[in-house]
Amino acid sequence: MSSPNKPTEQQQQLTSPTNNFQFTTKTFALLIALLALTLAFTNPIRQSLTSLLPTAARPLRTMSTSSLKITKQPWSARGHSDHDWLYTFHTFSFAGWQSTFRESFGPLRVINEDRVKPTTGFGAHSHAEFLIFSYIVNGTLEHRDSMGNLEYLKRGEVQFTSAGTGIRHSEYNRDKNDEVHFLQIWAKPDIRGLKPHYETKKFTDEQKADKLVRVMESTSRLGEKTETSPIGLQADLSMDASILSPGKKVVHEVVAEGPRKVLVQLVMNGRKQPKEGGAKIKVGDVVLGEGDAAFVEGVKGPGQVEVENVGEGKAEFLLFDLGMNDA
Ligand SMILES: *[C@@H]1O[C@H](CO)[C@@H](O)[C@H](O)[C@H]1NC(C)=O
């Protein structure tokens, strides 16, 4: 494509004066009008002219699926450990597991899908300079930290810790019978040395039913705090949650202008992706099963990303809209 400032040959022809003929002003205007009409209906020329316009004057382009590059990470291509007390999958490199796929995606650095057996858990350990949030899928997670917080988190609740200069916390399953299933997510903050912060909020199944609910939002995009507003975090990251019924579709509006990345992670129902049936969603032309993720590149705001349930059961998934700088 030609740069907006460099005129093409065609444009030069249009603007260079012609000395051979003398036009009356009227004839000239008529010819220009005819030429404009011809150009308007000649597609290739129209496109080349559009590219000459400065960006702001161009018509807004809606993203077509073909402009998106969608890479599927199958559930079983994630890092995986079964420590008996902990059954876990890692979307990105974690603990001893080194991903050959992606180290991070925008500010997102960790998505772990964890199942912790009754009466076990993660003992007290330290964190610093990370934004850490747990999305509870099933069971009860005890959270205890060095800021004096003690909570029992259940399905629908999201626990957010901005570790900042440093915290210690433990995550435990105190139940005698039921395991706890949750997604733990880490993102890199824009700013170092933040004061440690703790916040919990509930987003119900009803709120998520066939809708996208904003659960996490960059403080730079967060409006006034209300009962239903998302949890603010200091990173260029928005996270939505949805529970989509078969045949239903949701449309995500890209949260910021310019190039973005989107990641969609489908939550698992069981310990393995079922061979037949199970939850299935479609992102662009890519179908995800339980535990699969879609890494979407070539996203540009303003624009939209659609997710459709193409399976037989309800599909619970998280959708991240991310800035371009990798953690
Ligand atoms: C939630 O946990 C209970 C108790 O462990 C279990 O019976 C149930 O199947 C789980 N539900 C889902 C959707 O995983």
Side-chain angles (χ1 to χ4, degrees):
M1 281 225 229
S2 38
S3 93
N5 299 325
K6 209 172 120 211
T8 59
E9 244 173 64
Q10 200 178 28
Q11 202 189 37
Q12 276 159 359
Q13 277 165 18
L14 287 174
T15 51
S16 60
T18 45
N19 301 320
N20 302 348
F21 301 99
Q22 287 294 324
F23 289 114
T24 64
T25 321
K26 258 189 178 168
T27 323
F28 187 71
L30 191 70
L31 272 176
I32 291 291
L34 272 172
L35 187 65
L37 255 167
T38 317
L39 287 178
F41 288 100
T42 319
N43 214 26
I45 302 177
R46 194 180 58 199
Q47 272 165 8
S48 75
L49 282 185
T50 305
S51 73
L52 292 175
L53 292 173
T55 323
R58 281 185 214 174
L60 290 182
R61 241 181 267 174
T62 45
M63 269 182 301
S64 67
T65 307
S66 59
S67 69
L68 300 176
K69 183 179 166 234
I70 307 173
T71 315
K72 172 170 160 176
Q73 182 191 39
W75 71 285
S76 56
R78 293 180 294 178
H80 174 57
S81 308
D82 185 355
H83 301 291
D84 188 51
W85 70 274
L86 169 69
Y87 184 88
T88 178
F89 288 99
H90 316 306
T91 299
F92 300 99
S93 295
F94 194 79
W97 182 68
Q98 189 68 37
S99 174
T100 52
F101 184 57
R102 291 275 156 70
E103 271 299 305
S104 57
F105 203 53
L108 255 189
R109 178 58 190 81
V110 170
I111 303 178
N112 288 344
E113 183 159 14
D114 290 347
R115 288 169 189 270
V116 175
K117 274 197 172 168
T119 70
T120 64
F122 302 90
H125 56 280
S126 305
H127 288 289
E129 305 302 347
F130 264 111
L131 307 161
I132 300 165
F133 41 109
S134 300
Y135 178 94
I136 315 296
V137 180
N138 197 12
T140 308
L141 185 68
E142 179 198 87
H143 170 103
R144 193 190 284 269
D145 67 34
S146 52
M147 294 174 275
N149 299 296
L150 171 62
E151 275 192 316
Y152 293 90
L153 306 153
K154 289 194 172 353
R155 175 167 176 79
E157 284 182 299
V158 176
Q159 198 289 301
F160 170 61
T161 298
S162 172
T165 50
I167 56 111
R168 282 176 72 74
H169 71 181
S170 64
E171 290 138 314
Y172 226 82
N173 182 359
R174 297 284 175 201
D175 199 274
K176 288 194 173 58
N177 307 303
D178 298 337
E179 76 176 8
V180 57
H181 175 197
F182 64 103
L183 276 84
Q184 185 165 97
I185 299 147
W186 299 16
K188 204 163 172 224
D190 298 329
I191 313 160
R192 289 180 64 86
L194 289 167
K195 187 170 161 261
H197 172 80
Y198 175 94
E199 193 173 335
T200 298
K201 201 147 184 172
K202 186 169 183 176
F203 301 86
T204 64
D205 281 16
E206 292 69 37
Q207 281 175 282
K208 295 170 201 161
D210 301 327
K211 282 195 280 296
L212 285 164
V213 174
R214 184 69 36 88
V215 171
M216 306 299 301
E217 182 64 286
S218 161
T219 46
S220 65
R221 290 186 289 269
L222 194 66
E224 207 182 310
K225 275 204 169 186
T226 66
E227 270 301 297
T228 54
S229 63
I231 297 172
L233 81 173
Q234 263 132 333
D236 187 0
L237 175 156
S238 303
M239 184 185 91
D240 291 358
S242 179
I243 303 170
L244 208 51
S245 317
K248 296 278 192 203
K249 190 192 270 185
V250 281
V251 178
H252 169 71
E253 299 284 344
V254 176
V255 298
E257 283 187 20
R260 309 280 302 166
K261 294 177 183 181
V262 164
L263 187 146
V264 181
Q265 178 87 56
L266 184 50
V267 177
M268 302 183 85
N269 283 310
R271 293 190 159 219
K272 287 187 161 56
Q273 183 179 97
K275 290 215 165 60
E276 299 279 311
K280 278 193 170 57
I281 54 173
K282 205 169 152 194
V283 183
D285 45 13
V286 171
V287 174
L288 303 182
E290 293 178 19
D292 296 344
F295 288 71
V296 189
E297 289 163 290
V299 179
K300 215 172 156 196
Q304 300 178 330
V305 176
E306 284 186 5
V307 182
E308 186 183 356
N309 185 330
V310 293
E312 286 149 23
K314 284 189 180 178
E316 181 166 7
F317 67 89
L318 300 179
L319 185 152
F320 299 85
D321 188 324
L322 306 155
M324 296 301 283
N325 294 338
D326 285 343

